[in-house]
Amino acid sequence: MSRFGTYHWQGVTLGDPALEAARSELASPSDEDAALRAFVYLLRSGDTAAMGIALDHYHHAISAERHGFGSVLKGHGHEVMQRARKILRETPSPASETGAGMNGADHASALLVMINRAEEEDVELIARVLDAPPNYDAESAAFRSAGRILQLFSGANERLVAALARVVFDEGRDIDDRLEALQALAKSSAPSALADFKRAMELDDLEIQATAARAIAKHDLAAHRSLIEEKVATWPADAPYPASDVRDTLAESDDSVENE
C-alpha cells in the first residue's frame, strides 16, 4: 500500500492513543496485514474523525486501482458502504465538534466512497445532499455519485434528476457548480432529463449551452438534429468546450449519412 494521509481530516487529533496508532499505521503501513487491521479498527471505532479517515483511505485505495495498484481494503466494500450510509442518514458533524477544517467533513468522506460504489438505494441520501450540501467537497462528490446512479440504473431516479436540475437552473449558484450538475444530469436517459437539456440549451452561458447540446446529441441526435444545428449556428467560432465535440458529432453524422 502506498502512503496516504487523509482528504478531509488534516490536523485533527484523535483522542484515543490506539486510534492515533492505527491512523499512523494506515498512513505509513509497515505491511499489508497491519494496514488492514488498522483500517478496520478505525472504520469500526464509532469515532467520527477516525471513521472519516478510514473512508478517505478506502476511496484513495480504490481510486489507485485504476492505475494498476491492488488494494487489501477492497474486500471491505460492503462494510464501508454500510458505514457511509449510516453517516449520511445523520446530521453533518460541525467542525467545532470534530476539529476538521469544514462542517460536514464526515459527509464529504462518506460521499467519496459513493462515487465508485453508489447503488440505486442511495438515491435519497445523495439527493438530500444536493438539496442542502454541507460543503463544496460533499456536493462535488454527490454530483459524481448521482451521475453514476443515473448512468447505471434506469428506474426510479426522478428524484436525482429533479435535484440536479434545481442546481443547473439556479442562477445564484456558481457556474462551475451548475456545470458539474449538468454533466451529472447528462448521464440520464429519462424523458424529464431531455426536457431539462433543452431548457439548459436556452440559457445565456455558452458552456452550459454546449454541455446541454452534447447531452441531447447523445440522447437522440437523429430526433433533435435540427434543434442542435440551430443552436450551434449561433455560437462563435471560439465557443468553449464542449462546443467542438458537438460540431464534431454533427460532422461525423453527416459523413456517416454520405457514406451509406
Side-chain angles (χ1 to χ4, degrees):
M1 291 179 62
S2 61
R3 293 189 178 190
F4 170 73
T6 178
Y7 296 112
H8 303 114
W9 305 92
Q10 296 91 343
V12 174
T13 301
L14 303 179
D16 184 339
L19 290 176
E20 277 293 348
R23 175 186 189 167
S24 296
E25 173 61 40
L26 194 54
S28 183
S30 55
D31 60 61
E32 289 190 343
D33 289 341
L36 181 57
R37 287 194 298 271
F39 168 77
V40 171
Y41 186 69
L42 292 170
L43 184 67
R44 298 175 180 174
S45 68
D47 180 272
T48 299
M51 291 186 296
I53 290 167
L55 294 177
D56 282 2
H57 272 271
Y58 183 84
H59 174 71
H60 179 265
I62 296 305
S63 297
E65 288 191 332
R66 294 197 300 268
H67 304 289
F69 298 98
S71 173
V72 295
L73 308 186
K74 186 175 182 179
H76 287 268
H78 178 73
E79 185 176 0
V80 162
M81 286 298 291
Q82 293 303 107
R83 178 60 61 191
R85 288 171 180 137
K86 184 176 186 300
I87 289 171
L88 292 174
R89 291 187 192 105
E90 299 169 354
T91 302
S93 297
S96 59
E97 292 183 6
T98 64
M102 64 176 76
N103 292 322
D106 54 339
H107 277 218
S109 293
L111 283 157
L112 271 184
V113 302
M114 290 276 176
I115 292 172
N116 294 311
R117 293 192 60 99
E119 300 290 334
E120 196 165 11
E121 68 180 275
D122 302 312
V123 164
E124 184 59 30
L125 293 174
I126 294 168
R128 277 176 14 208
V129 173
L130 294 173
D131 289 341
N135 55 62
Y136 171 79
D137 286 1
E139 182 179 46
S140 182
F143 287 143
R144 295 168 65 189
S145 300
R148 168 186 164 81
I149 291 175
L150 292 176
Q151 185 172 29
L152 295 181
F153 305 101
S154 59
N157 293 323
E158 290 300 319
R159 176 76 169 93
L160 279 183
V161 170
L164 290 167
R166 278 194 289 274
V167 178
V168 172
F169 297 107
D170 185 350
E171 295 185 353
R173 297 291 298 270
D174 184 88
I175 194 66
D176 289 339
D177 293 341
R178 297 171 68 191
L179 279 166
E180 198 166 1
L182 182 55
Q183 288 159 1
L185 186 59
K187 297 183 184 298
S188 173
S189 58
S192 58
L194 178 59
D196 289 327
F197 302 148
K198 291 178 179 179
R199 287 177 58 205
M201 206 163 60
E202 298 308 314
L203 295 175
D204 291 336
D205 185 86
L206 284 176
E207 194 169 358
I208 287 182
Q209 289 183 22
T211 302
R214 182 175 62 178
I216 294 172
K218 289 184 177 180
H219 193 282
D220 191 343
L221 176 59
H224 305 286
R225 184 184 184 92
S226 60
L227 177 68
I228 297 170
E229 288 177 335
E230 288 174 9
K231 180 54 65 175
V232 170
T234 70
W235 294 344
D238 61 349
Y241 182 84
S244 58
D245 276 5
V246 178
R247 290 183 172 122
D248 288 346
T249 297
L250 291 172
E252 289 168 5
S253 177
D254 286 338
D255 292 341
S256 174
V257 171
E258 290 176 2
N259 292 330
E260 287 181 355

